[in-house]
Amino acid sequence: MDVIFSGIQPSGSLTLGNYLGALKNFIPFQETAECYYCIVNQHAITVPQDPKLLHSRTRDLAALYIAAGMDPKKSTIFVQSEVPEHALLGWMMICSAYVGEMERMTQYKSKAQKQEKKGGFIPLGLLTYPPLMAADILLYQTNLVPVGADQRQHMEITRDLAERFNHKYGEVFTIPEMWEPKGGARVMSLQEPTSKMSKSDENEWATIHMLDEADTIVKKIKRAVTDSLGHVHYDKEKQPGIANLMSIHSAISKKSYEEIEKMYEGQGYGTFKKDVADLVVGEMQPILDRYKELKGSPELDAILDEGREKAHKKANATYVKAIEAMGLYRK
Ligand code: TYM
């Protein structure tokens, strides 16, 4: 049976990118695999966080996981900081990694640059982020990791670290593969469609948040940047805005780009944008409704308590193997 692990940071309000690139794809695995879905709050603190906000976003994210269709009877849903083996194995992975390979990570370079611009200091955790992510995955003997295209480099380093450890200390870890949605489902900014849609974009028109109300979603899609060519055609170079809206359409409607092109032949962008907005609202509204019900409910704590116990059991078994292999024990 496949073992699936994935996680999302509670570092901001989740976007349509997080949903189509990751969360939506977590759900079908529940039917066939052993699934671990984590709220990776220790990754969020690699950049400064307001403690109260971090706490509430952690709960919000758990509620969103469940609202999106995660079933606690089928999946183990838990908070990273409540299973100490993540940080413990994370340290062992840090000690197996090299400074040079960490400094070459593109996410490190861009996040470090942002921090430097803001305040001058680069948190060391930004550099040691990939070994912690490797620990997350390896603790569960995971073989498949559903993530968006932006995580490819992190997945490569996870495999490298696992192979390096196994080679040096014996076969402890399963080597995991990345699982990407068809077509990549890389959702781009609505205002600057050559860069990724992100939780932290300062332009509110650039990002659709999972908790946006229907009328906000409609307005944002209406204002999405397009071009003056006037035909719905998939060309990332010449029509990046339209290509982005087509990929959102396709991820929800399951229609191919050719089918979408045919549907809007001879029409302007108005009808197309309206249909994309309807699709997004249709997908998000039930999630938003269920999220509102779950947010304050005691059900959420019971689910996360049980998740912590189940995750801890599995993680500890691997952790014990790893410390024994490395010689980190006394008796
Ligand atoms: P994070 O929190 O930045 O994003 C969570 C997931 O959402 C995907 N994603 C996108 N997909 C398509 N289009 C976008 N615009 C977009 N923005 C985000 C990401 O690819 C990701 O799958 N390092 C991870 C968190 C992590 C993790 C793990 C993931 C920590 N440990 C172990 C998997 C396994 C991250 O920063 O995700």
Side-chain angles (χ1 to χ4, degrees):
M1 193 194 258
D2 283 331
V3 180
I4 311 290
F5 181 97
S6 200
I8 300 181
Q9 299 187 53
S11 53
S13 165
L14 248 61
T15 71
L16 184 67
N18 294 128
Y19 178 70
L20 294 179
L23 183 49
K24 183 177 164 70
N25 310 309
F26 296 172
I27 311 305
F29 284 113
Q30 300 183 114
E31 305 309 324
T32 55
E34 180 183 330
C35 297
Y36 296 87
Y37 294 127
C38 186
I39 293 137
V40 287
N41 57 349
Q42 287 167 309
H43 280 88
I45 60 165
T46 53
V47 294
Q49 298 289 341
D50 173 82
K52 280 206 178 97
L53 256 183
L54 180 61
H55 168 257
S56 67
R57 282 175 174 161
T58 301
R59 296 184 68 87
D60 286 356
L61 185 47
L64 259 184
Y65 272 7
I66 297 160
M70 223 176 258
D71 179 349
K73 289 196 191 76
K74 295 178 181 162
S75 293
T76 302
I77 306 167
F78 69 103
V79 177
Q80 185 185 29
S81 63
E82 295 190 338
V83 178
E85 282 79 0
H86 286 256
L88 295 172
L89 187 68
W91 175 248
M92 290 157 75
M93 288 293 128
I94 287 172
C95 293
S96 306
Y98 309 134
V99 173
E101 64 190 354
M102 294 301 120
E103 283 176 338
R104 283 195 294 275
M105 304 297 289
T106 52
Q107 189 167 308
Y108 166 72
K109 286 194 264 190
S110 73
K111 286 198 173 174
Q113 234 175 25
K114 260 194 204 162
Q115 287 301 318
E116 256 184 332
K117 265 192 204 155
K118 273 192 201 161
F121 295 109
I122 303 168
L124 185 57
L126 269 186
L127 188 66
T128 59
Y129 180 116
L132 179 60
M133 177 160 163
D136 297 340
I137 296 165
L138 301 178
L139 276 173
Y140 299 89
Q141 303 293 353
T142 306
N143 65 310
L144 272 183
V145 183
V147 278
D150 62 327
Q151 297 299 311
R152 196 170 296 135
Q153 216 184 14
H154 287 156
M155 283 308 303
E156 279 163 15
I157 205 83
T158 295
R159 290 169 57 87
D160 287 350
L161 289 174
E163 278 165 3
R164 193 176 298 162
F165 190 102
N166 282 356
H167 184 68
K168 206 162 175 189
Y169 303 110
E171 293 294 312
V172 172
F173 302 122
T174 303
I175 311 298
E177 305 263 351
M178 172 170 174
W179 185 95
E180 253 186 282
K182 251 197 206 146
R186 186 155 196 249
V187 182
M188 310 306 271
S189 152
L190 297 182
Q191 291 300 314
E192 221 179 289
T194 46
S195 42
K196 172 180 104 161
M197 181 179 281
S198 126
K199 288 180 197 129
S200 56
D201 203 310
E202 274 155 24
N203 182 348
E204 61 168 320
W205 296 102
T207 307
I208 293 174
H209 294 282
M210 284 188 73
L211 301 182
D212 279 346
E213 296 290 345
D215 57 336
T216 309
I217 295 177
V218 173
K219 275 188 216 150
K220 285 181 177 176
I221 292 178
K222 235 187 204 169
R223 277 179 75 151
V225 165
T226 53
D227 52 68
S228 54
L229 293 172
H231 57 254
V232 177
H233 175 62
Y234 192 83
D235 185 335
K236 270 183 166 174
E237 302 292 314
K238 293 197 188 108
Q239 298 183 261
I242 288 295
N244 187 33
L245 293 176
M246 284 178 76
S247 85
I248 294 172
H249 190 305
S250 168
I252 301 174
S253 68
K254 301 283 172 228
K255 290 195 179 352
S256 68
Y257 294 143
E258 294 75 40
E259 285 175 289
I260 298 171
E261 283 171 0
K262 268 204 191 119
M263 280 169 70
Y264 299 98
E265 224 167 58
Q267 301 186 49
Y269 293 153
T271 323
F272 171 59
K273 278 185 160 180
K274 187 186 168 302
D275 287 356
V276 174
D278 285 349
L279 279 168
V280 175
V281 169
E283 181 90 3
M284 291 302 158
Q285 195 64 51
I287 298 178
L288 186 60
D289 294 343
R290 173 110 177 96
Y291 163 82
K292 285 178 182 164
E293 275 169 35
L294 270 165
K295 201 170 136 56
S297 97
E299 204 188 329
L300 196 62
D301 279 310
I303 291 168
L304 293 174
D305 285 348
E306 198 189 331
R308 177 191 60 210
E309 296 312 309
K310 283 207 289 195
H312 180 251
K313 206 168 160 207
K314 176 103 180 194
N316 187 258
T318 305
Y319 175 67
V320 168
K321 270 196 194 170
I323 57 171
E324 283 176 355
M326 225 180 179
L328 276 178
Y329 64 101
R330 179 170 58 88
K331 281 192 176 164

